[in-house]
Amino acid sequence: MRPSLLDPLFAPAASLPGIGPKNAKLFDRLLGKPEGARVVDVLFHLPYATLDRRARPKIRDAIPDTIVTIEAKVTEHREPPNARSRAPFTVLVEDETGDVELVFFLANHAWVRSRLPVGATRWISGKLERWDGRNQIVHPDRVMDADEFARLPAVEPVYGLTEGLFQRTVARAAEGALKRLPRLPEWIGAETLHLMKLPGFEEALRSMHRPAAPRDVDSAGPAATRLAYDELLANQLALLLVRARMRGLSGRAHVAEGALGRRLETALPFSLTGAQRKAVEEIRADLKAEKRMIRLLQGDVGSGKTIVALIAMVEVVEAGRQAAMMAPTEVLARQHYERMAPLAEGAGLRIALMTGRDKASERRATLAALASREIDIAVGTHALFQESVAFADLGLAVVDEQHRFGVRQRLALASKGEVADLLVMTATPIPRSLVLAYFGDMDVSALREKPPGRQPIDTRAMPIERLQEVAAGLARALANGARAYWICPLVEESETLDVAAAEDRTAHLRALFGDAVGLVHGRMNGPDKDAAMARFQKGETKILVATTVVEVGVDVPEATIMIVEHAERFGLAQLHQLRGRVGRGAGRSSCLLLYKGPLGEAAQARLETLRETEDGFRIAEEDLRLRGEGDVLGARQAGAPGFRFARLEVHGSLLKRAREEAAAALKRSERLTGEENRGLRLLLYLFERNEAARLIEAG
């Protein structure tokens, strides 16, 4: 139950002044709350900039191209010749040092006359410009009499808006939300407050919504840092509570001699890297312990995660239990199965594939075999974890591509009372600060080495105007037996437009290369997609035109060329993932990034980073610096923390302190009981880490 002290903040936003029923839907849209915005959502909608109206010069001293607030007398109206004229309504105002023209296009003439009557003194605020040798302000922000000017804040907050909402409406609602803020106990430790020189929570919010100077809304300033720290502290408390809950569920020791694992390793056509061996040892130690394993295995493209996972599954099977691997798509599930089946069967294990596309009779047979322990390892999509699937004795669940599997889902798995150990894999290297923020409930193994024999990839950037040269080079490569991916651009975040772009490019390439060109995109049904991939894998098609569906996991060792069209539209990590589809076989590989100039600063930095390095972990850190954590993780995922205040590229250094403070609090009281922890309990509800808050109550 949320504490009643917070009820005023969770009341509907429509109860605030200036919102009401008319604007409520606009605020719901602005604040991303289709189910209805609350007062807390308005309170947490912080300004991103300010209008500094502290400059109040005489007209002679006013600096062009700055916002000024001047006191002047209205001396002349210059009205358009008639109501239908497109000429502006101009008003001349002056003080003892000079004059300024106020320019109103398509204005309400009656309003201009009433607000600026000839002979009146007014305060006018807006951007001063020089035009044709004269001072002018086009559409002043404010026209005020002396009383209105007395109420004008010297520095005004500037909020993000949605169509139909105005700055003053949002500012008025934020002012109303501030008045609803109850007096809350301090939840940050005195030492942290002193060391970091942080203001109080209420003081920080007031400073942001009522800035006295532009620096008050700076994301690295004291107020924003305080709010970011609050959010990170709530996040770390939640992750540690989830971790304690999942570890608290009785784990089982998987005791095996390791003979099957050794047999599997001997059968491999290559030796494990040092990083793979270290990860295997860490996982084996977890499996042998009585506590439940919750481990994240992250590795760069082609670093060999699947083999590590297979060795872990073999270990569990040898201990007398079953293992399952869940992949986000049928293409990936099938690929994992095809890669693992020969190795598993060679070690004497029974392995099965299970996807949503299985016929009813096949599904029944697989379910029966799982329940009777005739299957040792099951590979599939999320269909594996539906209620109808019953394992005889599941000992290890491996989840591939954790981006589809957030904190909320990990909690759901824990609350079902499953005692299976959990290994979560990702092919996206994640910066250290993001690992702590998003996966702080898990232990982490990282594969930073590539298996021997992986070829370096020659990466080049080229303007898209040289498309004919690219096509000619591709023709020469195909004549020598090469295979190529051609990735089409992201178009306005619209899958329909993405598909249209891919179809257009396919038609263009088929005019040059005929039936050697295949196409795969996200709108195709599963069987058609699989068939297109299979034709490319077998070499029946030589060029595969694709949207980003090939980004993760698809493995065609014979493909040695990757062409990315409009590379400037893609994120760094995504480009790195796409490039990782080549360089998987013995042949020399190349990646061509086609861009449309002129390039912006960030796009240029992305392409240069890719040309310089193939180290996915370095690329991930650079991507975080350029784009922020939401985009790097694709973190609009279900179960992602969804930070409102914390920007890890700015506030990442606060994480370690927040983690230590959260751990110390839970060490004092694992359920945060007592008056001294009341603030932390409120913090969890205030930042809506409700699942974690319920864990405290449930014990």
Side-chain angles (χ1 to χ4, degrees):
M1 286 287 291
R2 186 173 57 232
S4 58
L5 180 66
L6 297 176
D7 286 351
L9 296 179
F10 286 87
S15 62
L16 289 169
I19 297 186
K22 179 168 173 267
N23 281 328
K25 288 272 185 288
L26 296 176
F27 272 88
D28 294 348
R29 190 194 313 154
L30 171 68
L31 302 170
K33 294 287 175 184
E35 69 284 3
R38 292 93 29 108
V39 172
V40 71
D41 301 313
V42 176
L43 190 65
F44 285 0
H45 182 60
L46 300 179
Y48 66 88
T50 58
L51 281 175
D52 188 351
R53 300 196 193 279
R54 292 176 298 175
R56 292 169 182 180
K58 292 294 182 185
I59 290 172
R60 178 185 56 207
D61 303 323
I63 299 169
D65 297 319
T66 64
I67 291 172
V68 297
T69 304
I70 56 171
E71 185 182 23
K73 186 177 179 182
V74 181
T75 58
E76 188 183 345
H77 286 178
R78 297 169 185 164
E79 299 192 28
N82 58 62
R84 281 182 296 184
S85 169
R86 301 189 75 80
F89 191 138
T90 60
V91 176
L92 192 69
V93 300
E94 62 182 31
D95 67 8
E96 65 273 22
T97 68
D99 57 27
V100 176
E101 270 185 349
L102 309 181
V103 183
F104 299 91
F105 289 98
L106 303 174
N108 177 330
H109 293 189
W111 179 88
V112 176
R113 287 189 212 102
S114 69
R115 289 302 285 162
L116 291 153
V118 173
T121 297
R122 290 289 184 261
W123 283 91
I124 297 121
S125 191
K127 187 177 181 184
L128 182 84
E129 296 171 301
R130 296 284 293 171
W131 176 257
D132 204 15
R134 298 181 63 81
N135 288 324
Q136 68 173 26
I137 297 176
V138 179
H139 289 283
D141 299 328
R142 297 290 179 94
V143 175
M144 301 160 284
D145 60 24
D147 290 343
E148 290 166 328
F149 173 67
R151 298 193 296 272
L152 176 76
V155 178
E156 283 186 80
V158 178
Y159 296 94
L161 299 174
T162 190
E163 191 179 350
L165 277 182
F166 300 97
Q167 288 294 341
R168 271 175 256 186
T169 314
V170 177
R172 190 174 168 212
E175 191 57 40
L178 275 173
K179 287 174 181 163
R180 301 271 184 97
L181 188 61
R183 193 163 290 284
L184 297 168
E186 182 55 78
W187 44 71
I188 295 180
E191 188 189 342
T192 302
L193 284 171
H194 174 71
L195 195 72
M196 294 169 62
K197 298 183 174 60
L198 296 177
F201 177 71
E202 184 179 340
E203 188 191 337
L205 282 167
R206 288 187 193 286
S207 181
M208 297 288 281
H209 288 296
R210 299 174 186 162
R215 66 175 178 274
D216 289 345
V217 305
D218 184 358
S219 61
T225 301
R226 161 72 207 224
L227 297 172
Y229 187 80
D230 289 329
E231 188 167 34
L232 293 172
L233 181 59
N235 168 248
Q236 290 302 306
L237 269 173
L239 286 171
L240 288 173
L241 283 161
V242 173
R243 183 185 178 96
R245 165 74 173 168
M246 292 185 77
R247 289 194 175 284
L249 296 169
S250 54
R252 294 184 298 176
H254 301 286
V255 182
E257 288 179 12
L260 268 182
R262 284 193 294 276
R263 194 190 310 170
L264 177 72
E265 278 192 54
T266 307
L268 291 175
F270 50 81
S271 299
L272 295 182
T273 65
Q276 284 174 312
R277 287 195 187 286
K278 184 169 183 281
V280 166
E281 289 313 311
E282 287 167 343
I283 291 165
R284 276 184 176 143
D286 283 354
L287 292 174
K288 283 177 178 150
E290 293 285 349
K291 286 187 172 175
R292 189 167 181 220
M293 174 171 81
I294 311 146
R295 185 170 285 277
L296 172 69
L297 176 64
Q298 59 161 338
D300 205 346
V301 179
S303 58
K305 293 174 298 297
T306 310
I307 291 301
V308 172
L310 180 58
I311 291 170
M313 290 193 284
V314 166
E315 197 90 358
V316 167
V317 171
E318 191 179 354
R321 302 195 175 105
Q322 294 164 295
M325 179 186 269
M326 179 172 84
T329 65
E330 293 195 10
V331 168
L332 265 178
R334 196 172 298 280
Q335 186 171 288
H336 280 313
Y337 172 75
E338 285 167 1
R339 203 181 290 170
M340 292 192 298
L343 293 166
E345 286 161 2
L349 303 182
R350 299 159 297 182
I351 183 169
L353 176 67
M354 186 175 176
T355 70
R357 212 189 299 159
D358 297 343
K359 293 181 181 141
S361 56
E362 290 172 351
R363 183 178 170 80
R364 277 196 300 275
T366 307
L367 286 174
L370 279 174
S372 62
R373 211 194 288 258
E374 289 168 43
I375 291 173
D376 299 310
I377 297 173
V379 181
T381 54
H382 61 278
L384 275 177
F385 287 96
Q386 288 169 352
E387 282 181 24
S388 58
V389 180
F391 290 82
D393 188 3
L394 181 64
L396 172 64
V398 179
V399 180
D400 190 23
E401 278 313 310
Q402 49 67 32
H403 291 164
R404 327 290 169 94
F405 193 78
V407 176
R408 202 162 292 157
Q409 288 92 329
R410 302 204 285 273
L411 258 171
L413 200 64
S415 62
K416 281 170 78 175
E418 302 271 6
V419 293
D421 285 328
L422 180 64
L423 180 66
V424 173
M425 304 198 301
T426 174
T428 308
I430 305 169
R432 284 187 182 88
S433 58
L434 294 195
V435 169
L436 195 53
Y438 286 72
F439 309 104
D441 55 326
M442 312 177 96
D443 293 308
V444 182
S445 294
L447 302 179
R448 289 174 174 267
E449 288 176 68
K450 290 195 180 176
R454 287 288 300 228
Q455 298 292 320
I457 300 164
D458 179 19
T459 304
R460 299 182 186 195
M462 189 181 281
I464 203 156
E465 288 75 16
R466 292 170 65 183
L467 206 57
Q468 276 185 302
E469 283 177 55
V470 174
L474 193 53
R476 289 192 295 274
L478 294 189
N480 291 325
R483 268 179 249 174
Y485 293 101
W486 190 300
I487 306 300
C488 284
L490 295 164
V491 186
E492 295 175 3
E493 293 185 17
S494 158
E495 198 177 341
T496 308
L497 292 173
D498 286 355
V499 169
E503 287 171 341
D504 287 351
R505 181 54 67 212
T506 304
H508 171 249
L509 290 171
R510 279 184 180 152
L512 299 172
F513 300 108
D515 292 341
V517 183
L519 169 66
V520 61
H521 58 70
R523 284 283 175 93
M524 290 164 76
N525 62 38
D528 287 349
K529 208 185 292 183
D530 284 355
M533 285 304 309
R535 282 196 294 277
F536 185 59
Q537 280 170 319
K538 290 175 193 163
E540 292 168 15
T541 53
K542 306 290 185 189
I543 302 171
L544 185 65
V545 178
T547 54
T548 53
V549 290
V550 301
E551 179 186 341
V552 176
V554 177
D555 196 3
V556 182
E558 297 80 8
T560 54
I561 298 168
M562 168 62 69
I563 297 167
V564 183
E565 199 173 326
H566 282 289
E568 76 280 0
R569 296 184 192 172
F570 294 84
L572 239 183
Q574 197 173 31
L575 286 170
H576 178 60
Q577 286 284 337
L578 288 166
R579 175 171 65 179
R581 297 306 103 218
V582 297
R584 292 172 163 252
R588 286 194 55 172
S589 290
S590 59
C591 174
L592 196 53
L593 305 170
L594 299 177
Y595 63 86
K596 176 99 172 103
L599 286 177
E601 205 175 311
Q604 196 158 344
R606 284 200 297 275
L607 299 188
E608 278 173 14
T609 301
L610 275 167
R611 290 217 311 269
E612 285 167 15
T613 183
E614 287 184 52
D615 179 346
F617 287 89
R618 186 185 147 197
I619 283 169
E621 294 287 352
E622 182 66 9
D623 206 20
L624 173 64
R625 190 182 69 75
L626 290 171
R627 292 198 304 155
E629 91 276 356
D631 294 315
V632 168
L633 270 182
R636 307 304 171 216
Q637 55 170 333
F643 291 130
R644 281 166 139 157
F645 302 144
R647 289 172 47 201
L648 295 184
E649 65 276 25
V650 177
H651 303 119
S653 60
L654 306 178
L655 263 167
K656 186 170 181 285
R657 183 97 196 168
R659 178 75 165 187
E660 287 166 358
E661 197 164 339
L666 290 170
K667 194 173 179 184
R668 287 193 306 271
S669 168
E670 60 185 32
R671 289 177 60 190
L672 297 178
T673 52
E675 187 58 28
E676 71 275 18
N677 291 312
R678 179 168 168 255
L680 290 171
R681 294 196 299 274
L682 285 164
L683 178 71
L684 284 171
Y685 281 107
L686 186 61
F687 282 94
E688 299 184 81
R689 301 300 190 260
N690 294 359
E691 288 99 337
R694 280 196 285 273
L695 288 180
I696 297 172
E697 291 172 1

